[in-house]
Amino acid sequence: DAKTTQPNSMESNEEEPVHLPCNHSTISGTDYIHWYRQLPSQGPEYVIHGLTSNVNNRMASLAIAEDRKSSTLILHRATLRDAAVYYCIRPNFGNEKLTFGTGTRLTIIP
Amino acid sequence: DAGITQSPRYKITETGRQVTLMCHQTWSHSYMFWYRQDLGHGLRLIYYSAAADITDKGEVPDGYVVSRSKTENFPLTLESATRSQTSVYFCASSGTAYEQYFGPGTRLTVT
């Protein structure tokens, strides 16, 4: 089962940090965690991925629990352009086959 | 321009007709993917390709055919369109399978 569990929706104030949680309790030891986001009327956009260690890039940080059963995507300073659906994804039989769930709809409050 | 493009962007077709959605990428990425997204659902993988002439089924392949004779192109054909195939179709490509880059999507309506 390649399912992850995310809250359906979250709200955050502009210019504040956002922590988006994800549970993936059945993940295997070699599966990466991937995060994508989808802005309104656009295709999904890659955000970040990681295996065990915390990861940072220009868009976000990914904090992975030590037991790898959960992870948190961190947007350090939310802007209105960060309003999107965020997908936490684990692979389905290989890192190239991703199963997108329904994600978390993030609303940014000005 | 470099990147990934899809055509047409919008298509209306009738039940039973054959329709082909085109996907073209200029990065020479090995991997290419087709997804569909229905209202209230996340994206579901239809087919993917790891290289030219190599394709494999995803989660929802029934009713679809793909081919990949050239690295840069990955067309998706609905051989006999049904109303249940009304959806938004996204193509993606990736050089490593860890970062997929998505096209703008094709909105297909089957009447």
Side-chain angles (χ1 to χ4, degrees):
Chain A
D1 183 2
K3 289 186 70 174
T4 60
T5 304
Q6 301 177 253
N8 289 332
S9 62
M10 291 182 63
E11 289 185 348
S12 180
N13 293 321
E14 192 178 11
E15 299 186 3
E16 291 187 356
V18 181
H19 291 235
L20 296 162
C22 179
N23 287 320
H24 31 79
S25 58
T26 60
I27 194 169
S28 73
T30 58
D31 286 344
Y32 281 73
I33 296 298
H34 305 253
W35 283 82
Y36 284 76
R37 71 180 185 180
Q38 188 172 21
L39 279 64
S41 302
Q42 294 188 25
E45 176 186 27
Y46 167 82
V47 177
I48 200 166
H49 73 278
L51 184 62
T52 55
S53 303
N54 294 345
V55 184
N56 301 294
N57 66 20
R58 63 173 181 83
M59 289 183 68
S61 295
L62 177 59
I64 302 173
E66 198 168 332
D67 63 7
R68 296 204 346 114
K69 292 184 177 181
S70 65
S71 61
T72 301
L73 180 71
I74 303 165
L75 306 180
H76 295 286
R77 191 169 172 269
T79 69
L80 295 177
R81 289 176 295 177
D82 291 322
V85 177
Y86 286 78
Y87 297 98
C88 168
I89 304 162
R90 50 169 290 193
N92 190 6
F93 302 111
N95 280 301
E96 66 275 9
K97 296 178 75 170
L98 303 181
T99 298
F100 286 72
T102 53
T104 297
R105 183 173 298 278
L106 176 65
T107 300
I108 305 299
I109 302 169
Chain B
D1 288 344
I4 183 165
T5 57
Q6 295 184 235
S7 62
R9 294 292 313 279
Y10 302 91
K11 177 73 176 179
I12 299 174
T13 191
E14 295 178 344
T15 300
R17 289 192 179 269
Q18 182 181 82
V19 60
T20 296
L21 308 183
M22 303 301 294
C23 180
H24 176 77
Q25 53 103 356
T26 60
W27 295 301
S28 299
H29 283 167
S30 297
Y31 293 92
M32 294 190 75
F33 309 83
W34 274 107
Y35 295 86
R36 61 177 288 174
Q37 185 172 35
D38 304 303
L39 197 63
H41 291 81
L43 281 78
R44 291 182 290 175
L45 182 64
I46 304 170
Y47 269 96
Y48 77 102
S49 169
D53 297 322
I54 300 175
T55 62
D56 200 0
K57 296 178 180 180
E59 184 182 356
V60 289
D62 293 343
Y64 302 95
V65 175
V66 294
S67 62
R68 189 145 178 233
S69 57
K70 293 184 177 181
T71 299
E72 61 267 29
N73 297 323
F74 192 38
L76 176 74
T77 298
L78 289 68
E79 292 191 306
S80 179
T82 65
R83 289 197 180 91
S84 65
Q85 292 177 311
T86 293
S87 188
V88 179
Y89 290 84
F90 290 101
C91 177
S93 73
S94 174
T96 66
Y98 293 102
E99 297 181 36
Q100 295 187 22
Y101 294 89
F102 285 78
T106 293
R107 185 174 296 275
L108 175 68
T109 301
V110 183
T111 62

